Amino acid sequence: MVINLFEVSIGKNESNSFFRGEKNYFVKTPDFEQHNHGANFGGHVESFLRMSNTNAKIFDRVFIDFLESLEITKNDLTHFMANLSAFFALKSRGRLVGSMLFKSSKSIESRLVKSYLIEISNSDFYQSEKDRLYLHANFISRNGNDILLKTLREIDGCDIGK
């Protein structure tokens, strides 16, 4: 039987470690010594959602918990962007069965994303991370959700219609 690391992380109350690629949840990218967030999402999360109709509610809750746990650091910003990019890439392809996250701009997870970006914009490293943020925001927008792009444009005082 194949072990699902996402399911293991939930059972051990380590889902935040899973999303950050900590401990035994680290999956090395082929080219760099970094965690491959997309592989964890596309493998373990996707198969967890397919196991049971009730698993989507569990996933949605622990993903919200992850968003609530984010700190204003470059490291957490990296995990934030990579997990959101992986989420929206898979969601746009119909691969995150049952997840109801980001259905509304007023949802708790949407509000958490906006408030985190606002906090990041007030950090001393926002300017140095801005290009990377816009890269992820544009990718996410092409995959069906413009929450990051709109929020970044609001923060930067850009015309929303661009």
Side-chain angles (χ1 to χ4, degrees):
M1 182 175 168
V2 176
I3 294 173
N4 184 299
L5 288 180
F6 185 63
E7 187 174 26
V8 169
S9 77
I10 292 168
K12 291 182 172 183
N13 198 27
E14 296 177 340
S15 56
N16 287 343
S17 292
F18 175 88
F19 290 120
R20 286 180 172 90
E22 298 169 339
K23 303 178 184 179
N24 60 318
Y25 308 111
F26 180 82
V27 175
K28 185 179 154 319
T29 57
D31 301 325
F32 304 101
E33 291 293 324
Q34 298 173 335
H35 175 60
N36 190 336
H37 297 82
N40 260 7
F41 245 97
H44 299 293
V45 171
E46 183 179 359
S47 65
F48 175 78
L49 291 173
R50 292 189 188 282
M51 280 188 236
S52 165
N53 291 337
T54 59
N55 284 356
K57 286 183 181 179
I58 296 167
F59 165 74
D60 288 358
R61 180 68 243 154
V62 297
F63 195 72
I64 289 169
D65 290 346
F66 164 70
L67 293 174
E68 290 173 335
S69 77
L70 292 168
E71 296 181 10
I72 308 306
T73 64
K74 283 186 181 183
N75 200 31
D76 268 9
L77 178 60
T78 295
H79 297 306
F80 167 80
M81 290 186 294
N83 278 295
L84 283 180
S85 290
F87 173 86
F88 286 113
L90 291 168
K91 187 71 175 168
S92 73
R93 293 168 182 84
R95 292 176 53 191
L96 295 180
V97 177
S99 176
M100 300 303 287
L101 293 175
F102 300 101
K103 293 286 186 190
S104 159
S105 62
K106 297 188 184 327
S107 66
I108 187 168
E109 61 277 7
S110 295
R111 290 192 317 264
L112 286 168
V113 165
K114 289 176 187 177
S115 67
Y116 185 70
L117 286 174
I118 290 167
E119 288 184 60
I120 287 294
S121 74
N122 293 317
S123 73
D124 58 350
F125 57 85
Y126 176 67
Q127 290 302 320
S128 66
E129 296 296 316
K130 198 179 272 220
D131 287 347
R132 203 161 59 106
L133 270 163
Y134 272 98
L135 199 75
H136 280 271
N138 284 315
F139 174 81
I140 290 167
S141 183
R142 286 191 308 273
N143 281 281
N145 190 295
D146 59 1
I147 185 171
L148 263 76
L149 197 53
K150 277 185 174 179
T151 304
L152 288 171
R153 287 178 173 165
E154 287 171 13
I155 288 167
D156 293 332
C158 299
D159 179 7
I160 301 298
K162 281 187 180 176

